[in-house]
Amino acid sequence: MSTRRRLFIQLVPVAGSGLLAGRAWAQAMVDEKDPQAAALGNAADAAKVDKAKYPKFAAGQACSSCALLQAKAGAAAGPCPLFPGKQVSAKGWCSAYAKKS
Ligand code: SF4
């Protein structure tokens, strides 16, 4: 067996497992109980934001209209730089909300 062929056979499973790991990573959602999420008042559903604790919250605000959400329009969830390696719900909210211009 050639060295090139042997290298290919050894790398294919490694590359495949990396793709699977990447897919799992992409699907991980922020847990509201995560310390950073809790500190920012993250809610997976903006309708459940504690308005007394977060008076800055206004009806209609959600991750889907936040400038920090890195998702295609209409996506149910996407990455937010405040939660590296996780996704936030488009219906969610946190106290770092910044309306898209
Ligand atoms: Fe959602 Fe914006 Fe807060 Fe990120 S910064 S969790 S997109 S409201």
Side-chain angles (χ1 to χ4, degrees):
M1 185 182 303
S2 73
T3 303
R4 187 183 303 175
R5 186 175 183 157
R6 195 174 322 139
L7 180 64
F8 178 77
I9 289 170
Q10 290 172 341
L11 289 180
V12 166
V14 173
S17 64
L19 288 173
L20 289 175
R23 181 172 291 168
W25 171 83
Q27 293 174 342
M29 297 295 291
V30 169
D31 182 347
E32 294 175 2
K33 293 176 185 136
D34 175 89
Q36 179 160 345
L40 289 170
N42 178 262
D45 182 351
K48 295 180 180 168
V49 171
D50 183 345
K51 295 167 187 77
K53 191 172 180 183
Y54 299 101
K56 176 186 154 187
F57 174 78
Q61 291 181 348
C63 294
S64 60
S65 62
C66 178
L68 279 76
L69 184 67
Q70 299 171 341
K72 291 181 183 170
C80 171
L82 298 185
F83 303 102
K86 305 277 183 179
Q87 291 203 1
V88 296
S89 168
K91 295 178 181 174
W93 183 89
C94 86
S95 60
Y97 174 85
K99 187 172 175 52
K100 270 185 204 169
S101 54

